[in-house]
Amino acid sequence: MKRIGVFVCWCGFNISGTIDVKAVASALADHPGVVVAKDYKYMCSEPGQAMIKEAIAEHRLSGVVVAACSPSMHETTFREAAQAAGLNPYMLEIANIREHASWVHPDDKIAATRKAIDLVKSLVEKVKRNEALEPIHVPMTKRALVIGGGIAGMQAALDLADGGTEVVLVERDSHIGGHMAQLSETFPTLDCASCILTPRTAEVGRHPLIKLHAYSEVAEVSGYVGNFTVKVRKKRTYVDWDKCIGCMDCMAKCPKKIPSQFERGLGIRKAIGVAFPQAIPYRPVIDRDACTYFKTGKCRICERVCSVGAIDFDQEERVIEEKVGAIIVATGYDLAPKAKFGEYGYGKIKDVVDGLEFERLNSSSGPTEGVIKRPSDGKIPREVVFIQCVGSRDVDKGNSYCSKICCMYTAKHAMLYKHKVPDGQAYVFYMDIRAGGKGYEEFVQRAVEQDGVLYLRGRVSKVYEDDGKVIVRGQDTLSGENIEIAADMVVLATAIEPQRDSRNLAQILKIGTDQYGFFNEAHPKLRPVESMTRGVFLAGCAQAPKDIPETVAQASGAASKVDVLFSKDDLVVEPLIASVDEAICSGCMWCEPICPYHAIEPKTIEERVGKKSVARRVASVNAGLCQGCGACSVACRDGAMNLKGYTNQQIMAEVEALCL
Amino acid sequence: MRISEDRLLDLLVDTSERMAVFAPLEEDGLVLLSPFTKDRAASWARPDSYVNTDNTPKDVLMPQTEPYLRFEGDGRRMAVSEVAVGPLRQTFVFGVRPCDVRAVELLDRVLIEGQFRDEMYARRRAGTLIAAVACSKPGPECFCGTMGISHLGPAVQMTETKEVDTPSGRQGGVSPENPGCDLIFYPALRGEAGDRAGTGAGGGCSDTAATNTQFIVVSITERGDNFLRENGGYFEASGPDDLDATVRRLKDTFSEDGPSSVTDGLSLDGLVPYLAGQFDNPYWAFVSRRCHSCGACTYVCPTCYCFAVVDAARIDRGVRSRCWDSCQFQEFLLMAAGHNPRPTKKERVRQRFLHKLQYYPEKYGDYMCVGCGRCVKKCPVGLHMTQVIYDLGCIREGVRVK
Amino acid sequence: MREYTASLKREAERLLSEGRVKTVIAFGPGIDPLAPIPAFAEDKDEASDLLVNAFSAPGLAKYVLDEVGGVEKPEHSVAVLARGCDSLGIARLIADKRVQRQSVVILGVHCDGVIDRGKLLALNPAFSRTKNIKSVAIGEDEVFVEAELADRSAVSLRGRPEDLLLDKCLKCLERDPVVFDIMLEPEAGTMLGRETGPTPVGDRGGVDQGEKEKSLRARRSLVAETEALSSESRYEFWARQFERCIRCYACRNVCPACSCRKCAFDVPDPEWVSKCTWLSEQFMFHFLRAFHVAGRCVGCGECERACPMGLPLSLLNDKLMKDVEEMFGIEDPHVPKESEPLGFYSPDDPEPWAKEVSEG
Ligand SMILES: Cc1cc2nc3c(=O)[nH]c(=O)nc-3n(C[C@H](O)[C@H](O)[C@H](O)COP(=O)(O)OP(=O)(O)OC[C@H]3O[C@@H](n4cnc5c(N)ncnc54)[C@H](O)[C@@H]3O)c2cc1C
Ligand code: SF4
Ligand code: SF4
Ligand code: SF4
Ligand code: SF4
Ligand code: SF4
Ligand code: SF4
């Protein structure tokens, strides 16, 4: 016999101001199966909880319904109280009569009260069919994978490793550091980027708990939180990195020069070598597309000069498997390609550069050794126009979002230019200035006031080349004047976009992206570093455009989330997951592709039919992966799939109670 | 007595003001014994326009869903009350074919005269006046004759030429105590009924078959007599020889085209004792293989009466109903603990045919099939009564069943 | 339909004698020449009784589930005769993982349509005394049937396809099997047990796109007609249909898309649908049935053919099929596919109703 207790909360005036709580309690007292119904001013308070606990003992309650606020507020509170009183916590349900009744019907007290009674009755009918459930324990591998070795990935890896967790760091490029390695100085302090970055990259490189796979990509991820199996594809470097001692004789002797990607085409590199002198790992890679040997079958100079015989032209791609319990995705961003912007010359005008190119031109280790020279003829530009919001906040170009950092780095660029070319003129076309952040507004003001950067509010309509000049036409919307500037160089603050292949990675990781391809966080406010898939976390620009401090903060946040996960002995999962009635299941596997979390797999069971034993396929749910969304249970035609805590029976009972 | 078809329709309309009337109505290409009201008179199916109704008098006497108890409780106490059973109004069913008349009588044997009287059925039956319409031509699936039933209804003996081995020996289904209906309408030709003087009841001006169709009406119960008396205005006296002439013609012309292929060559001789030894005949596994275990055959059968007790309950109240069930359903005998005494199609199909051809005759004296042909027509895979009777004949003669 | 019985028997005998299959599922004679019955041949004698002709109405797909379905490794294989509609049903069972492809040998056969016994008898009841079908020809615009009666006299009839063919055949989507192992060859020049005779009014054969388009149009226009009704008349229409349903479940039991071990209608708790035939339950039953086959119905028309109460079930199925086609841009929605539009998770599923709601 079911013995249900009902506890109606006033929530001060929040509920009792609209709902006749006494009437609710007395209506429920007459409901079949209810043995006690009480009301109280604040059920969540200590005395309120004590009232529930006492009633559980006194009336030997088999189930409890608390009529109060949203279960997202106090479900845990009350379930813990029930547990303390010896009742399985899953035998307690919340009827939300605040958000669902008193708050939404403040003007109709009678109807609100009637609705509250119905809601509570429906939960009573549900709780009659509740089952005692126990949390599920799943063992886990306390080892983390970090994808992307930019500042975000490095920070997360170091935080975890310093805390004693083994980390596998997979970087697609031949070196770590990401975009930060390309920056010259950084706002708002204008300290040199490599000065703060290289100690980090070096630390990552030598950390005993960090296993770095550079020049590698994640090919496949299977499993679930606590138990991922990751296939890492190690691309062909044509150099045996274990043998190589980093002497770079090969690089010195290689006769083939090619434009350097790291220098964004503004400098050159060799067909074999590292991208920049401080690269970690300091190991060379042969660019197969450029290498003379691969093109003509002749050369192999590097092989000859290598004293340790590390060059291996026949190297095969390798796929290795790593077992990890959590994944941090820190794959960063790309800049919108200049070719997208017809009004700025489709990237064909040499002296129209993007932000990262400007960073390289300004970098002391860059192609011009820190002297700002324009690419076309190497002259020092006298007039430089900076254009903000190129491709950002621009629905026509597909990005309606703000790239967030361009205001800041443009001010930085203009300032750095003025510092190096004090008699030059810097113009900035902007829509408005967004300089939220500690010391940021001051930074921009300094550019205007101390360095005399000319800020022009307005859009540039056209940029074209004329007689060695780059003509910039636009409008100052403040004065309404049309402006034409004959500049020596133009710097475009092109939009921060997701990595081109981010959707592909999202698919591998089974996480979501937004319409642009940035990875989706589980909750924009409350769970900003988690993805929708348990055990997969996000850091840095891969989630949304952000600057370094924010990137680092998010990376540390992600690392600590992993630490929290790993702090338990094993994985404890809520028992509110799907379960299969194998006697009914037809093994049609309709549920399998329906599951957004890939938690369902076929399995074969043996069963006796008459005197024979036959094998039959049924669905099985992986408790570690199932998030209890219920999609499978809805899709299962014969009702073999049921969601614990929300079984078909429970939901039907609720609906019937509401419809009665 | 005689009545023209048009006056008959008037009679139905008039009667429907006083009683619940069921009559054959056309609906989406079917003819169904349906509640008849003035508004629906336009869809009335004239008796010569169809062979038999797609549903059966069972729909009236034992509706598919029949609530009979209400209960209410609060978990401690429970109050039970009866839902009013039986027709609240007297019911008049018009247009029941002779096979179905016999079927009603077969139902009566089980549900009223049998060991356990079914009050709900009995009350409906007691309040229902049944008017049969005799058949002038068999439909392609009709085999009433094979089953020993007269197409002229319970008042007329079978055609002398056809001797049928019915277990009870009651040729023509005439059971003196319970004929199964109250009135019989014999379709008459012009000249047979009353319009010898050229004054058909239809007014004599129209020459169309519809308006000129006449019926000779005979009452075989007191209830029928009363009905005729009360509605005397609709009927005219028929001539002294009219009935004989009509019956003779109907007898002579009924089978003149010869049997249809589905009903030809069936023999029931000695079937009941034969079947008593055939429970384990491999034939049942053979024949049932094509069965889909639906309930079509049993639900359309006028003699099948299996039912289940169904509670529709919500929290503190509910209704208990009697609903049709079918022995062909896989779950029919499934027990709470999971045991199913008839787990496969073999047991279920065997049950259907042995019930009709052996168990019922052993217990109640007649076959529980009236040859209405509905299962012949409606089984989606041709697993029906005449096929099985035919197959059993082959087996008895040692011919391989195909 | 051309004469395929000879090659059917030949293949059946071969498959059985080679031990490749334990059973061959096709048709047998039955008591009524106008209604061949599903038959299961297990030896040479039984194989010699097999047949297929223009009166073979029942679908055969569902028997494959009965015979070898539902287990990982069936003890033996079966062969089954399959016209277009049968093959769709078999493909459905395979796609739904209820039958293993390798456990069934599909004997494909081209089909020009099946004659509706009821329609034929309504036009000329004399056919009910058929002893022997002498000739059948099914053409584009005309169907011809000739039979010998019990008294040796002959009877013949010429009529329009819509007056003589099964409704489902008038809406046929695949005349040739979509999946098969062996394609049966027609006997050269013969027409159903007759060497010579009237020239066939139309001897189609081969896949006919135009024919399929015609069927699709027929289905769509019926759907469009109901869609065009006011919601009140539409309710009235369906209420009348559903009220007539006797819940015999023939529609479900013949349906190749209804292959669950335990159907939701047979589950006692929760009781999705009560045995009580109140109108609300009737609606519930029919909604559930239609939705459970939505996106999976192969349009074989067996449900409608089997229904003893003449419910236009295809209309419901076709409506859902049309929605699937339009909302998800699925071509040939009746053909079972690796991945079905309603059978996987996608965050960008179309939600026209959500749009309707948001637009008020
Ligand atoms: C012109 C410019 C100037 C800037 N100046 C400043 C400044 O002064 N101050 C400041 O705070 N911020 C500045 N920023 C912003 C700064 O660059 C970013 O905040 C920071 O680099 C984000 O780091 P990240 O690790 O998220 O991404 P990234 O730096 O992009 O690193 C991502 C890493 O992941 C790797 N990767 C990508 N895909 C994969 C894959 N599938 N598998 C494995 N590895 C992968 C990449 O190779 C890369 O190494 C500037 C940005 C620009 C464009
Ligand atoms: S749980 Fe349901 S949907 Fe999944 S395989 Fe079993 S029957 Fe199919
Ligand atoms: S409840 Fe959701 S997450 Fe769990 S198995 Fe079902 S579909 Fe997958
Ligand atoms: S068994 Fe068939 S023919 Fe006989 S009464 Fe029933 S439905 Fe009619
Ligand atoms: S015999 Fe025919 S109608 Fe009866 S259950 Fe079997 S398939 Fe259905
Ligand atoms: S076959 Fe027809 S009568 Fe039977 S359940 Fe289906 S729709 Fe209803
Ligand atoms: S619902 Fe009807 S048409 Fe569709 S597959 Fe099933 S039986 Fe065939």
Side-chain angles (χ1 to χ4, degrees):
Chain A
M1 195 58 220
K2 304 287 179 201
R3 303 177 59 82
I4 312 295
V6 174
F7 301 89
V8 187
C9 180
W10 299 22
C11 197
F13 275 122
N14 272 308
I15 293 173
S16 67
T18 306
I19 289 169
D20 182 346
V21 286
K22 299 265 177 220
V24 175
S26 72
L28 266 296
D30 291 337
H31 191 85
V34 173
V35 292
V36 50
K38 293 188 169 175
D39 62 278
Y40 187 68
K41 215 167 171 114
Y42 288 106
M43 271 300 164
C44 59
S45 67
E46 275 305 323
Q49 292 186 43
M51 182 185 232
I52 297 174
K53 289 185 201 166
E54 279 157 26
I56 290 174
E58 186 190 334
H59 297 279
R60 289 173 292 113
L61 297 182
S62 62
V64 170
V65 175
V66 182
C69 52
S70 160
S72 65
M73 305 295 298
H74 280 304
E75 189 177 70
T76 322
T77 316
F78 291 122
R79 285 194 167 166
E80 276 169 9
Q83 191 164 29
L87 186 68
N88 182 288
Y90 295 94
M91 300 306 291
L92 180 142
E93 294 284 351
I94 308 277
N96 182 356
I97 60 167
R98 192 179 74 180
E99 281 84 338
H100 291 173
S102 70
W103 280 1
V104 281
H105 309 292
D107 303 328
D108 193 342
K109 298 187 174 189
I110 293 171
T113 302
R114 225 172 39 227
K115 182 172 175 184
I117 293 173
D118 285 349
L119 289 173
V120 184
K121 280 187 177 173
S122 124
L123 266 298
V124 168
E125 286 308 309
K126 179 185 185 200
V127 96
K128 282 184 187 171
R129 289 156 181 86
N130 277 20
E131 256 184 294
L133 300 174
E134 297 300 335
I136 300 167
H137 294 259
V138 183
M140 60 179 156
T141 312
K142 294 186 184 178
R143 201 165 175 256
L145 168 73
V146 176
I147 310 175
I151 184 62
M154 292 194 304
Q155 181 67 37
L158 286 170
D159 279 2
L160 284 169
D162 288 346
T165 298
E166 230 184 282
V167 178
V168 179
L169 177 59
V170 174
E171 167 56 53
R172 169 157 73 186
D173 223 331
S174 59
H175 57 87
I176 54 173
H179 285 109
M180 194 175 162
Q182 290 171 293
L183 303 185
S184 51
E185 274 89 34
T186 55
F187 65 75
T189 45
L190 292 190
D191 41 359
C192 134
S194 52
C195 307
I196 50 176
L197 184 72
T198 41
R200 293 262 136 149
T201 50
E203 202 183 338
V204 170
R206 63 167 185 266
H207 204 297
L209 288 180
I210 298 179
K211 185 168 169 191
L212 174 61
H213 294 294
Y215 214 52
S216 302
E217 273 171 52
V218 169
E220 206 182 298
V221 174
S222 55
Y224 51 95
V225 58
N227 297 282
F228 293 108
T229 302
V230 181
K231 290 215 170 112
V232 178
R233 191 169 61 239
K234 305 208 77 166
K235 298 185 282 190
R236 296 188 281 192
T237 57
Y238 302 103
V239 178
D240 184 336
W241 281 10
D242 291 335
K243 284 190 191 158
C244 172
I245 49 170
C247 67
M248 296 301 153
D249 286 349
C250 53
M251 180 159 80
K253 295 285 153 45
C254 173
K256 179 76 182 176
K257 287 181 185 161
I258 48 166
S260 156
Q261 239 178 35
F262 180 79
E263 301 294 357
R264 294 190 71 83
L266 298 173
I268 48 147
R269 59 161 286 175
K270 296 291 187 64
I272 184 167
V274 287
F276 58 103
Q278 302 90 340
I280 300 280
Y282 195 62
R283 291 289 180 269
V285 171
I286 294 180
D287 181 341
R288 194 190 162 109
D289 296 334
C291 168
T292 314
Y293 169 69
F294 278 117
K295 274 193 164 153
T296 66
K298 289 205 189 74
C299 183
R300 298 181 90 131
I301 290 176
C302 49
E303 192 179 41
R304 255 178 284 134
V305 299
C306 180
S307 56
V308 292
I311 308 292
D312 176 6
F313 287 105
D314 302 320
Q315 196 183 50
E316 290 293 337
E317 191 172 273
R318 277 188 305 145
V319 175
I320 55 162
E321 217 178 79
E322 297 281 6
K323 302 245 180 228
V324 297
I327 298 174
I328 295 177
V329 194
T331 49
Y333 65 95
D334 249 348
L335 283 188
K338 284 184 290 177
K340 226 171 156 179
F341 305 100
E343 63 272 41
Y344 307 131
Y346 293 111
K348 288 197 185 116
I349 307 172
K350 274 197 167 168
D351 293 329
V352 177
V353 299
D354 67 18
L356 283 175
E357 285 161 16
F358 188 83
E359 293 282 347
R360 291 320 296 152
L361 290 175
N362 186 51
S363 167
S364 53
S365 62
T368 56
E369 285 165 346
V371 184
I372 300 176
K373 295 178 184 169
R374 66 181 202 169
S376 62
D377 51 13
K379 275 202 244 151
I380 296 187
R382 294 290 143 198
E383 285 190 278
V384 180
V385 174
F386 294 89
I387 306 175
Q388 293 192 180
C389 290
V390 176
S392 304
R393 306 169 69 190
D394 181 352
V395 186
D396 293 341
K397 287 284 179 299
N399 299 335
S400 49
Y401 58 85
C402 164
S403 289
K404 201 172 180 183
I405 55 172
C406 316
C407 289
M408 288 305 293
Y409 76 62
T410 301
K412 175 183 80 172
H413 288 168
M415 249 166 161
L416 290 170
Y417 166 70
K418 285 292 286 183
H419 294 174
K420 289 198 172 153
V421 189
D423 58 341
Q425 183 56 54
Y427 305 89
V428 176
F429 276 93
Y430 71 103
M431 283 165 76
D432 40 29
I433 297 296
R434 300 183 169 182
K438 202 168 173 180
Y440 283 18
E441 178 59 23
E442 296 91 318
F443 184 78
V444 176
Q445 283 309 321
R446 219 163 73 211
V448 177
E449 286 161 15
Q450 289 184 10
D451 295 312
V453 177
L454 202 59
Y455 271 78
L456 298 164
R457 181 170 181 156
R459 277 271 187 196
V460 171
S461 54
K462 199 173 164 65
V463 169
Y464 60 97
E465 244 179 327
D466 190 33
D467 194 20
K469 289 277 183 187
V470 186
I471 315 295
V472 179
R473 272 208 201 140
Q475 203 194 28
D476 180 342
T477 48
L478 292 179
S479 65
E481 270 173 56
N482 287 330
I483 306 174
E484 190 173 295
I485 301 168
D488 297 306
M489 187 161 100
V490 171
V491 182
L492 304 177
T494 42
I496 301 281
E497 289 185 344
Q499 293 282 357
R500 305 272 174 268
D501 58 352
S502 70
R503 285 197 169 82
N504 183 33
L505 185 64
Q507 228 168 31
I508 294 176
L509 293 166
K510 292 144 196 165
I511 60 177
T513 65
D514 65 11
Q515 64 190 110
Y516 310 106
F518 290 113
F519 300 122
N520 272 345
E521 62 279 9
H523 188 282
K525 276 162 271 180
L526 300 177
R527 296 168 67 195
V529 305
E530 288 152 85
S531 76
M532 282 296 279
T533 301
R534 281 191 74 191
V536 180
F537 304 89
L538 310 174
C541 290
Q543 179 254 340
K546 52 176 75 73
D547 56 22
I548 296 167
E550 240 190 288
T551 297
V552 170
Q554 196 185 17
S556 292
S560 71
K561 279 284 172 191
V562 173
D563 279 336
V564 170
L565 178 69
F566 288 173
S567 65
K568 314 262 168 45
D569 290 338
D570 47 17
L571 203 66
V572 182
V573 253
E574 273 254 53
L576 304 176
I577 58 165
S579 82
V580 184
D581 183 340
E582 293 180 351
I584 292 179
C585 175
S586 304
C588 67
M589 302 315 296
W590 189 251
C591 48
E592 188 182 355
I594 291 273
C595 175
Y597 303 96
H598 304 262
I600 302 174
E601 283 175 339
K603 87 170 186 206
T604 301
I605 54 168
E606 290 282 331
E607 131 189 297
R608 295 210 74 75
V609 174
K611 287 184 194 71
K612 278 179 265 170
S613 160
V614 294
R616 176 160 77 76
R617 186 193 319 100
V618 293
S620 78
V621 176
N622 185 313
L625 279 176
C626 174
Q627 310 278 311
C629 73
C632 55
S633 152
V634 178
C636 176
R637 291 180 289 278
D638 47 29
M641 193 62 96
N642 233 333
L643 190 58
K644 283 191 198 150
Y646 299 89
T647 60
N648 292 330
Q649 288 85 339
Q650 287 172 306
I651 288 170
M652 288 282 268
E654 280 189 78
V655 172
E656 285 198 345
L658 283 177
C659 294
L660 193 75
Chain B
M1 291 287 202
R2 66 184 167 89
I3 188 169
S4 77
E5 201 167 63
D6 288 349
R7 287 297 282 161
L8 173 58
L9 186 56
D10 294 341
L11 170 65
L12 291 176
V13 171
D14 188 14
T15 311
S16 70
E17 315 261 290
R18 288 171 287 118
M19 298 167 85
V21 172
F22 286 81
L25 299 182
E26 279 166 18
E27 182 178 316
D28 299 310
L30 274 71
V31 176
L32 299 171
L33 216 43
S34 318
F36 178 94
T37 55
K38 195 175 172 182
D39 309 340
R40 302 180 77 181
S43 3
W44 184 52
R46 296 172 187 275
D48 60 0
S49 69
Y50 65 93
V51 175
N52 200 349
T53 51
D54 287 275
N55 62 346
T56 71
K58 184 167 83 172
D59 282 28
V60 179
L61 298 171
M62 187 183 168
Q64 181 157 12
T65 302
E66 191 171 19
Y68 63 97
L69 280 186
R70 277 184 209 296
F71 46 88
E72 207 164 327
D74 61 4
R76 288 165 280 242
R77 283 149 287 132
M78 167 89 89
V80 180
S81 62
E82 268 185 37
V83 178
V85 287
L88 299 171
R89 302 166 71 193
Q90 291 286 303
T91 301
F92 177 58
V93 184
F94 174 81
V96 178
R97 296 293 191 190
C99 54
D100 291 345
V101 168
R102 165 65 152 266
V104 169
E105 193 256 314
L106 294 177
L107 291 178
D108 290 349
R109 292 193 211 175
V110 180
L111 300 171
I112 298 178
E113 297 147 25
Q115 207 174 346
F116 304 100
R117 187 180 156 87
D118 183 320
E119 283 307 329
M120 288 187 289
Y121 176 87
R123 284 174 65 176
R124 281 188 191 273
R125 177 75 174 91
T128 304
L129 184 97
I130 297 176
V133 178
C135 296
S136 37
K137 276 271 182 257
E141 294 90 10
C142 292
F143 60 106
C144 46
T146 307
M147 302 316 295
I149 295 160
S150 164
H151 62 93
L152 296 173
V156 183
Q157 285 295 320
M158 278 294 297
T159 324
E160 299 75 19
T161 49
K162 195 128 185 196
E163 275 287 316
V164 176
D165 176 24
T166 63
S168 66
R170 278 195 299 221
Q171 291 288 301
V174 186
S175 156
E177 327 72 71
N178 179 8
C181 69
D182 305 287
L183 298 166
I184 305 174
F185 285 61
Y186 299 98
L189 289 179
R190 300 177 61 182
E192 273 173 5
D195 63 345
R196 262 164 292 214
T199 56
C205 39
S206 163
D207 215 299
T208 66
T211 49
N212 277 326
T213 308
Q214 306 279 314
F215 294 95
I216 308 281
V217 186
V218 169
S219 162
I220 51 174
T221 63
E222 211 185 302
R223 225 174 11 183
D225 296 345
N226 293 340
F227 183 85
L228 291 187
R229 198 172 331 103
E230 283 158 20
N231 297 287
Y234 287 92
F235 298 94
E236 292 170 49
S238 50
D241 305 326
D242 285 355
L243 179 61
D244 279 353
T246 300
V247 163
R248 199 173 323 111
R249 178 188 49 82
L250 288 174
K251 264 187 187 176
D252 292 348
T253 55
F254 185 74
S255 323
E256 64 189 357
D257 295 332
S260 68
S261 21
V262 218
T263 62
D264 194 12
L266 304 178
S267 163
L268 296 171
D269 290 344
L271 191 60
V272 179
Y274 169 72
L275 283 176
Q278 304 310 315
F279 191 79
D280 292 321
N281 194 310
Y283 171 70
W284 302 118
F286 171 89
V287 73
S288 62
R289 210 158 163 185
R290 68 175 180 273
C291 175
H292 282 305
S293 297
C294 68
C297 50
T298 53
Y299 279 6
V300 300
C301 177
T303 70
C304 280
Y305 50 81
C306 286
F307 60 83
V309 169
V310 178
D311 285 340
R314 275 184 184 176
I315 308 179
D316 57 352
R317 68 197 84 160
V319 177
R320 172 165 291 184
S321 309
R322 180 248 293 282
C323 296
W324 289 1
D325 203 348
S326 169
C327 59
Q328 299 307 288
F329 289 156
Q330 202 170 349
E331 286 71 25
F332 183 67
L333 281 192
L334 183 66
M335 305 189 175
H339 177 61
N340 191 342
R342 291 190 205 128
T344 73
K345 297 193 279 190
K346 178 186 87 176
E347 293 86 18
R348 298 192 291 269
V349 169
R350 176 175 64 197
Q351 166 63 23
R352 168 173 158 223
F353 289 100
L354 288 187
H355 186 202
K356 290 185 181 299
L357 299 177
Q358 182 202 342
Y359 310 150
Y360 189 100
E362 281 172 354
K363 194 156 181 195
Y364 297 103
D366 273 299
Y367 291 114
M368 198 183 125
C369 168
V370 296
C372 74
R374 287 187 182 86
C375 61
V376 181
K377 194 168 161 188
K378 306 275 188 185
C379 170
V381 295
L383 204 183
H384 50 71
M385 191 48 92
T386 65
Q387 178 76 52
V388 168
I389 294 176
Y390 177 82
D391 288 351
L392 291 171
C394 292
I395 296 173
R396 288 164 78 187
E397 283 167 27
V399 178
R400 186 164 60 85
V401 175
K402 289 186 182 174
Chain C
M1 187 172 200
R2 297 209 234 174
E3 167 64 58
Y4 287 96
T5 296
S7 58
L8 166 66
K9 286 182 185 170
R10 213 166 33 243
E11 285 301 335
E13 278 172 30
R14 188 175 62 79
L15 290 167
L16 289 169
S17 68
E18 285 172 3
R20 247 184 94 188
V21 300
K22 181 160 175 270
T23 310
V24 179
I25 309 169
F27 294 93
I31 190 175
D32 181 359
L34 301 185
I37 52 179
F40 305 79
E42 304 215 318
D43 58 30
K44 211 165 151 14
D45 283 346
E46 287 176 345
S48 72
D49 295 336
L50 293 181
L51 62 83
V52 53
N53 65 27
F55 286 90
S56 307
L60 298 177
K62 199 68 183 280
Y63 294 120
V64 180
L65 178 68
D66 291 3
E67 299 287 328
V68 288
V71 289
E72 294 265 91
K73 288 183 207 72
E75 280 170 24
H76 45 75
S77 301
V78 292
V80 61
L81 179 81
R83 299 154 290 189
C85 52
D86 299 309
S87 79
L88 286 167
I90 298 165
R92 175 79 275 152
L93 289 164
I94 294 169
D96 288 345
K97 305 186 173 64
R98 301 291 286 135
V99 163
Q100 316 263 335
R101 177 67 183 88
Q102 63 274 16
S103 55
V104 43
V105 177
I106 303 170
L107 302 173
V109 65
H110 173 81
C111 176
D112 286 327
V114 171
I115 292 174
D116 187 324
R117 171 181 176 274
K119 286 184 183 175
L120 177 69
L121 295 183
L123 288 178
N124 186 351
F127 276 101
S128 70
R129 297 187 300 281
T130 297
K131 182 103 205 142
N132 178 17
I133 301 155
K134 292 177 76 176
S135 169
V136 175
I138 297 172
E140 195 89 40
D141 310 306
E142 205 176 18
V143 174
F144 174 81
V145 191
E146 188 187 13
E148 184 190 22
L149 304 188
D151 60 6
R152 304 238 157 250
S153 66
V155 60
S156 70
L157 188 97
R158 214 173 264 283
R160 296 184 307 167
E162 47 275 44
D163 298 331
L164 278 166
L165 295 189
L166 285 175
D167 285 347
K168 69 175 206 169
C169 300
L170 298 170
K171 294 181 282 190
C172 174
L173 293 171
E174 303 289 342
R175 300 199 173 277
D176 283 294
V178 293
V179 49
F180 63 88
D181 297 293
I182 299 164
M183 201 61 196
L184 296 184
E185 291 298 324
E187 295 301 290
T190 60
M191 297 298 297
L192 207 79
R194 191 190 159 93
E195 307 288 305
T196 56
T199 322
V201 277
D203 180 9
R204 290 176 285 192
V207 203
D208 190 336
Q209 254 340 96
E211 194 62 31
K212 189 156 155 184
E213 268 308 306
K214 206 167 119 193
S215 301
L216 278 173
R217 266 202 310 281
R219 287 174 190 249
R220 291 201 192 110
S221 79
L222 285 171
V223 170
E225 264 172 45
T226 12
E227 282 173 341
L229 294 176
S230 69
S231 58
E232 292 80 24
S233 339
R234 198 159 58 221
Y235 175 82
E236 206 176 285
F237 172 78
W238 285 114
R240 184 174 79 234
Q241 307 301 328
F242 297 159
E243 197 141 29
R244 194 164 70 234
C245 165
I246 52 176
R247 296 270 290 282
C248 67
Y249 298 147
C251 50
R252 170 193 73 179
N253 290 14
V254 297
C255 173
C258 287
S259 60
C260 289
R261 266 168 70 81
K262 189 150 184 93
C263 174
F265 302 131
D266 299 333
V267 173
D269 185 27
E271 191 183 54
W272 300 108
V273 176
S274 158
K275 254 194 159 53
C276 297
T277 46
W278 300 315
L279 191 56
S280 58
E281 299 294 329
Q282 300 291 84
F283 266 95
M284 184 73 179
F285 163 64
H286 281 282
F287 288 166
L288 272 187
R289 192 207 61 81
F291 277 110
H292 278 196
V293 299
R296 298 187 314 114
C297 165
V298 297
C300 69
E302 267 296 275
C303 48
E304 191 167 282
R305 185 192 69 83
C307 175
M309 301 310 280
L311 270 77
L313 298 168
S314 293
L315 195 51
L316 268 186
N317 300 336
D318 287 345
K319 159 73 179 152
L320 291 170
M321 208 188 276
K322 172 183 160 252
D323 286 352
V324 165
E325 190 174 2
E326 286 174 359
M327 281 186 208
F328 298 89
I330 301 293
E331 249 179 71
D332 282 343
H334 64 286
V335 181
K337 309 197 171 46
E338 189 108 325
S339 150
E340 308 279 359
L342 301 181
F344 63 86
Y345 167 78
S346 156
D348 343 297
D349 265 357
E351 291 183 67
W353 48 89
K355 199 164 154 252
E356 268 165 39
V357 170
S358 68
E359 283 170 4

